[in-house]
Amino acid sequence: MKESINRSLAVALSYPKDAEAPFITAKEHGYLARRMLAIAEEKGVPVVEDEILANVLSLQDVGTCIPVHTWEAVARIFAFIIERENKK
């Protein structure tokens, strides 16, 4: 994980195949955000930095689908992660 990642805010997403859109599975600020990122790193979960998107998503409730106006940005992130994993 890059040291430049803002560790004061973390938002986790999931996108099950049968879901209409990705949904927020967790969000934290401060110490708990740093713990989320550390655990993700330990478990090999991809972490992508997008401070603006994280700020927007952090306003939503855990368990809700991401807002429609964020779909394109989130789709680019999922595509980036899939591409990176396919290169392994």
Side-chain angles (χ1 to χ4, degrees), residues 30-42:
Y31 172 77
L32 292 176
R34 292 187 295 277
R35 284 295 302 140
M36 277 179 61
L37 291 166
I39 292 167
E41 188 175 64
E42 290 169 12

Side-chain angles (χ1 to χ4, degrees), residues 37-49:
L37 291 166
I39 292 167
E41 188 175 64
E42 290 169 12
K43 302 292 184 183
V45 175
V47 175
V48 176
E49 180 182 11

Side-chain angles (χ1 to χ4, degrees), residues 55-76:
N55 281 314
V56 170
L57 295 176
S58 73
L59 299 174
Q60 309 303 310
D61 292 328
V62 171
T64 61
C65 287
I66 63 170
V68 172
H69 66 276
T70 65
W71 285 10
E72 186 176 338
V74 171
R76 281 194 219 121

